[in-house]
Each structure stands twice: as structure tokens, then as C-alpha cells.
Amino acid sequence: MKLYVIWTLISFPLSVYGYILSGNSWINCILSYIKYFFFVGKLFQSYHLWYLLAMIYSLVFILILVHCNRGINSMLLVGVMLYAVRLGLEYFRLNTDAFPMLAPVVGIYEYIFNNGNIFTGMLYMCIGITVVEKRCCFSFFASLVLFITGIVIKYTIHSELGNIIASSCFFMMVLNIDLPQFPFYIILRQLSRYMYLVHLICFSGYTLFIGNFNHLGVDSFVATCVLSLAFAVVVTAIQKRRIRRSTTH
């Protein structure tokens, strides 16, 4: 929650800039900001933060289930149900002519949650919990085959199903890699976190600087990587220095 709130506020100037570009009234912009902050997570140039919001909603459901003494199977079942409801409402949205009686419900759902991506997080989190806690992990070769199968399914049969299979099996592939313990992995993890959080801000800053906002190209990609990595290195170094000072004192 802290990460989501802090980085949404850091991206606030970009959100304001986006609303200025939209030309909407200030009342509509305020209501839109409230909606996207609480129910969508995809504010202007901070679209990637939606998964943090999805994790917050997921953790609320998980805490409720834990409080009710429910186990991992119940969590996974709720994750599947939420995902299924989201897929069902999306299907009805795309086929409103065939189901006119559901149009008001679908309309309200779409108005509040857009495509409902925040309800997908619990399924992925619970799959990860199930794989780790119950040790139901395929071998590396089997995971690789299923990962490739998921990619094929994504682009040929069903995008959502392919995403679930591919991402879950990629997670299993990583679990099968026996990496030796090395302190630098912690630093790499910190760098990747800050690069994830700041990369769209760096992209926006660079494209504004060159006078071609939202320009996509090799130069934008390289600049975004370099700037976000530099930011991550500086922040990580500052954090390490603070930790050393606190331990010495």
C-alpha cells in the first residue's frame, strides 16, 4: 500500500498533465482521478502501478480468508472465481446485444473498474502461493514445454488462458534454477524494483525533453533503461548508506 500511494503521488504531476491534455472539466478530472486511484490503478503515465493495486485487493481477500481459518485451496478457489467473474463480465460487455438484461450490471462494472484487471491479481498470487507452499512444481523441462505451450495458446486459442499457463510455468522454471547464495542478488532485486516503479516517469521525462511526448523508438527505450537504472543505483546506494549509519550508531 505504501509503494502504491507514494508512487502514485510521485506521478501526480504527470496525471495533471494528462488531464490538461484531455481537455475535460476539472470536476470530471477529479472524479476520474478518484476512480482510477481506488478501482483501476492506471493513471496517466503510471499504468504499471495497477498490479500493486491488484495485490492490495488480493491481500484483503487473503486476510479475510485467513481470519476465517481458510487454507490455500480456498484462496486459490476465490482467485479462480474472481478471475472467472471478470472474464464473464468482459464477455457480456462484448456481447451486450445477446444479453440485454445484463447491460446495466455490465455498464456499472465497466464504469467503476474498466476491464477489471485488479481482480486478476489474486489468481496469480494464489498460484504462486500454492506452487511454493505445496511444492507442486513441475520439472524445468516440463515447465519449459508448458511455458511454450502457453505462449502458443495465448496467440492462437485464448489470450487469458495462455497468460495464466505461460506466467505460471515461467515461475516454475525460475524455481527450478539452483542459484548459489550471493549477496548481490539482493541488490539486483532492489534495482529491479525501482526500475519498475520509475521507468514510465523516465520515459515521460525523456520524451518531453526531446519535444516528442510519448515517442516510441530505440532512443526512448535506451534512455528509459539508462535513466531508470541510474535512479535505482542512486536510491539503492543511499539506502545502504543509511543502513550502515544506523547500525554503527
Side-chain angles (χ1 to χ4, degrees):
M1 291 179 66
K2 185 187 295 184
L3 280 176
Y4 178 71
V5 172
I6 289 174
W7 285 93
T8 301
L9 293 177
I10 289 174
S11 302
F12 181 74
L14 286 171
S15 299
V16 173
Y17 181 69
Y19 284 125
I20 292 173
L21 293 178
S22 71
N24 295 326
S25 67
W26 65 271
I27 295 178
N28 285 335
C29 292
I30 291 174
L31 293 176
S32 173
Y33 190 89
I34 294 172
K35 165 192 168 179
Y36 277 82
F37 182 88
F38 286 104
F39 303 116
V40 181
K42 290 186 177 182
L43 287 157
F44 187 71
Q45 297 302 87
S46 60
Y47 313 113
H48 58 303
L49 299 180
W50 75 268
Y51 193 65
L52 292 179
L53 184 61
M55 290 179 68
I56 293 170
Y57 275 88
S58 302
L59 288 171
V60 170
F61 281 109
I62 290 173
L63 288 172
I64 292 172
L65 291 169
V66 170
H67 182 73
C68 297
N69 295 318
R70 297 296 180 180
I72 296 173
N73 291 337
S74 297
M75 296 177 191
L76 183 60
L77 179 60
V78 171
V80 172
M81 291 173 61
L82 286 173
Y83 207 97
V85 169
R86 181 244 176 186
L87 290 180
L89 289 170
E90 182 66 13
Y91 175 80
F92 293 138
R93 184 182 71 84
L94 297 174
N95 298 274
T96 51
D97 294 338
F99 305 94
M101 71 291 295
L102 295 176
V105 176
V106 175
I108 294 172
Y109 167 83
E110 185 181 13
Y111 180 78
I112 298 175
F113 299 106
N114 282 18
N115 60 0
N117 271 343
I118 60 169
F119 296 118
T120 65
M122 187 164 180
L123 176 63
Y124 288 100
M125 288 180 67
C126 291
I127 289 174
I129 292 171
T130 303
V131 169
V132 173
E133 294 297 324
K134 295 200 171 187
R135 301 183 183 278
C136 50
C137 186
F138 299 120
S139 66
F140 181 85
F141 180 75
S143 300
L144 176 61
V145 172
L146 289 172
F147 169 73
I148 296 172
T149 303
I151 296 296
V152 174
I153 291 174
K154 172 180 173 62
Y155 292 103
T156 57
I157 300 175
H158 197 280
S159 177
E160 297 284 352
L161 179 60
N163 283 335
I164 295 170
I165 295 173
S167 58
S168 301
C169 291
F170 183 79
F171 178 57
M172 295 182 193
M173 287 169 58
V174 173
L175 291 179
N176 274 285
I177 299 174
D178 187 17
L179 292 173
Q181 293 295 326
F182 192 65
F184 191 61
Y185 294 151
I186 298 175
I187 297 175
L188 290 177
R189 186 170 183 176
Q190 291 174 331
L191 292 177
S192 67
R193 179 178 66 174
Y194 286 114
M195 289 182 71
Y196 161 76
L197 291 169
V198 81
H199 75 277
L200 271 180
I201 297 176
C202 293
F203 168 75
S204 302
Y206 171 75
T207 55
L208 278 171
F209 177 76
I210 64 174
N212 190 2
F213 188 61
N214 268 349
H215 163 68
L216 300 177
V218 176
D219 59 321
S220 297
F221 174 77
V222 172
T224 300
C225 289
V226 171
L227 292 173
S228 57
L229 178 58
F231 175 85
V233 169
V234 171
V235 172
T236 302
I238 293 173
Q239 285 184 330
K240 288 186 66 177
R241 184 175 298 178
R242 285 180 177 176
I243 293 172
R244 287 176 183 172
R245 286 180 178 178
S246 62
T247 54
T248 53
H249 293 294

